[in-house]
Amino acid sequence: MPTERLTSRERVRRAINHQQPDRIPIDLGSMRASGISATVYQKLKQRMGLNTPTKILDTMQLLAEVEPQFLDHYHIDVVPLEGSLAAWNGMPAEAGQKWRLFSGIDAYIEPKARRRIEPDGSWVLLDAAGEVFA
């Protein structure tokens, strides 16, 4: 087992090349399949004393953007590199639309997201033509 401390990039590279890294790389949110629920993320942030607004990167699944302070605190090795999210990633949360989730927390969705609350209280997402897609 290597004794030197690797950078995240080196650690991940060794792992995908079937070489021994200094520790197992940690992924939290580098892709939608490894994302974290905005509600769970907000609760974890509160436990670590991080009182920042929560941004939602995936409006359909309500997955949170994992902030740099959180990545550093938990030694996360990977970050998302999804081109369609680049503009929203670079904006402050408050530039988005504030949305109260069913759990009671407030989070922010991207400014251009289109949503509607139905009479029964359910949420739907709308495409550019105003048609429900989720």
Side-chain angles (χ1 to χ4, degrees):
M1 178 162 195
T3 56
E4 78 270 22
R5 179 156 166 76
L6 302 175
T7 66
S8 290
R9 183 182 298 253
E10 293 166 333
R11 184 173 299 116
V12 170
R13 182 173 284 143
R14 282 194 184 180
I16 63 176
N17 287 328
H18 303 283
Q19 299 169 338
Q20 186 72 45
D22 58 341
R23 65 170 172 77
I24 296 171
I26 301 172
D27 173 9
L28 179 63
S30 71
M31 59 185 195
R32 294 170 199 257
S34 66
I36 185 169
S37 152
T39 299
V40 172
Y41 180 64
Q42 180 68 29
K43 289 179 182 180
L44 284 172
K45 287 194 319 178
Q46 288 171 343
R47 288 190 72 154
M48 67 181 275
L50 186 59
N51 296 313
T52 56
T54 296
K55 284 174 64 177
I56 295 178
L57 290 186
D58 184 327
T59 309
M60 198 176 324
Q61 298 183 76
L62 299 177
L63 299 178
E65 174 186 71
V66 182
E67 299 162 83
Q69 307 95 302
F70 194 94
L71 294 170
D72 291 343
H73 182 82
Y74 289 104
H75 309 288
I76 308 299
D77 293 301
V78 293
V79 296
L81 295 173
E82 190 170 334
S84 65
L85 299 174
W88 178 222
N89 276 344
M91 293 180 191
E94 294 84 355
Q97 301 175 50
K98 192 173 188 178
W99 194 358
R100 171 128 322 158
L101 304 181
F102 289 120
S103 63
I105 71 158
D106 290 327
Y108 292 83
I109 60 174
E110 63 180 313
K112 67 179 183 176
R114 298 178 67 189
R115 64 187 168 100
R116 182 174 70 216
I117 300 174
E118 298 290 286
D120 67 356
S122 63
W123 304 333
V124 295
L125 299 175
L126 309 171
D127 63 18
E131 297 295 322
V132 174
F133 74 89

